[in-house]
Amino acid sequence: MKKAKLFVTENKLMKRTTATTRIQQHTIEENFSDGRVKLMKIQMTPKVEPSEKLKLNLKSLQSQNSKNIHNAINFHITKSSKIFRSTQKEPKTKALMKKENEEENLNTKVSKRKPRVIVDLQLMKEELKQLEDPPITPWEKKLSSGRLQYEFFNISCKELAQQLLGKILVRYLENGTILKGRIVETEGYLGTIDKASQTYQNKVTPRNIPMYMPPGTIYVYMTYGMYHCFNISSDGLGCAVLVRAVDPLEGIEHMADQRKLSETRKASLKPHELCNGPSKLCMAYQLDRQHNKYSVCTWKSLWIEDDGALSDFRIIKSARIGIASSGPEWANKPLRYYIYGNKCVSKRDKKAEMDLS
């Protein structure tokens, strides 16, 4: 019985595992034209049972799917790694580029910076020449006969700033109009030692050259890009006196008209408001930068007189206005002078007035 069973199982296994081979005869094709012979390979394919075919197909599909999945995963991994690398590299490259740009900007800034030029005043004789336009006609000579001469202005800056108080500033316009006003407020700028002065530390520019010129030279400069300030040079290197306020005496209507034109004002100004500030004075007197380098000692259109009418007055000494950037030492020095009790003063110092009284 055992032998029979074994025979049956062996027979079944033989049926399952036996593979038939199909031999394809190789064909010989002779080509008599070129004398070549082509041989076809003998192909031997095992005969597989249908059940085994299904198993093989499933396995092949599974293996194919696994390969596809594996390839897809690899693709996504490589893609994400590339993105990660690019994101990691990008900030570095940007930072490097930014650093390079900053270095380039610094280099350009350094190259654009102009070296400081030391100006020799002896070599600037042409620039330092006084402009001449003296009175020629008998009328012009008679009109300016009372002007103060060079000796009056050839004193120290502090002295001149105080000596100018009470004097008459006269303007003779081309149309024959005469303007007069009493100087009631001044400021002194002590040249190369004064941190608030435009000539501090021997600074020389095309603008401040009149401050280095002989005493009595007119210096008009622009501030805030629209306002003018009128100065007169004194003795001392780079020293000048700023005339801050004038009390109008003659030509008041013309002064008012000039103020209206300059500021497009509709409301009328009171007389004490016409010249109560350096820029207001320049507007009313029609003074600007084209009048630089003329001298009040010789110019036919502007001079200073002493009528002797106002001699007994008290002078208030206080800090100058608008120079806080020069530091507390020079900003607080009492280099502003004004006539006590005059309405045309631009700004009163009540503390200094109390100390005086």
Side-chain angles (χ1 to χ4, degrees), residues 163-168 182-184 306-307 310 313 339:
Q163 289 295 322
L164 282 170
L165 295 176
K167 306 300 185 289
I168 308 298
R182 194 177 303 280
I183 299 170
V184 296
D306 184 7
D307 64 350
L310 191 65
F313 56 85
I339 294 174

Side-chain angles (χ1 to χ4, degrees), residues 14 30 68 85 130 135 137 176 194 293 297 314 342 352:
M14 287 292 288
E30 294 182 0
N68 291 336
R85 283 172 193 166
Q130 198 94 55
T137 64
D194 187 349
K293 298 184 182 181
C297 305
R314 289 188 290 179
N342 192 282

Side-chain angles (χ1 to χ4, degrees), residues 113-159:
R113 193 176 292 167
K114 292 181 180 178
R116 187 175 176 182
V117 179
I118 298 169
V119 180
D120 188 355
L121 292 173
Q122 296 297 323
L123 299 173
M124 295 181 65
K125 289 180 180 179
E126 287 297 320
E127 290 292 330
L128 294 168
K129 269 188 179 180
Q130 198 94 55
L131 295 180
E132 298 289 340
D133 189 13
I136 297 171
T137 64
W139 164 248
E140 289 174 346
K141 288 179 180 179
K142 185 180 178 181
L143 188 65
S144 60
S145 59
R147 76 166 73 227
L148 295 171
Q149 299 300 314
Y150 176 81
E151 291 74 23
F152 176 83
F153 303 96
N154 191 23
I155 55 176
S156 70
C157 187
K158 288 182 182 179
E159 286 182 274

Side-chain angles (χ1 to χ4, degrees), residues 28 84 100-101 123 125 159 161 292 300 307:
I28 302 171
F84 178 73
E100 286 174 2
N101 289 333
L123 299 173
K125 289 180 180 179
E159 286 182 274
N292 277 332
K300 68 178 182 181
D307 64 350

Side-chain angles (χ1 to χ4, degrees), residues 21 49 76 86 90-91 98 100 116 119 151 163 185 218 226 228 268 273 297 300 312 347:
T21 60
E49 293 293 325
H76 286 298
S86 65
E90 196 172 10
K98 191 177 180 182
E100 286 174 2
R116 187 175 176 182
V119 180
E151 291 74 23
Q163 289 295 322
E185 184 181 359
I218 296 168
M226 59 189 299
H228 291 94
S268 58
E273 295 174 331
C297 305
K300 68 178 182 181
D312 187 18
K347 188 177 181 181

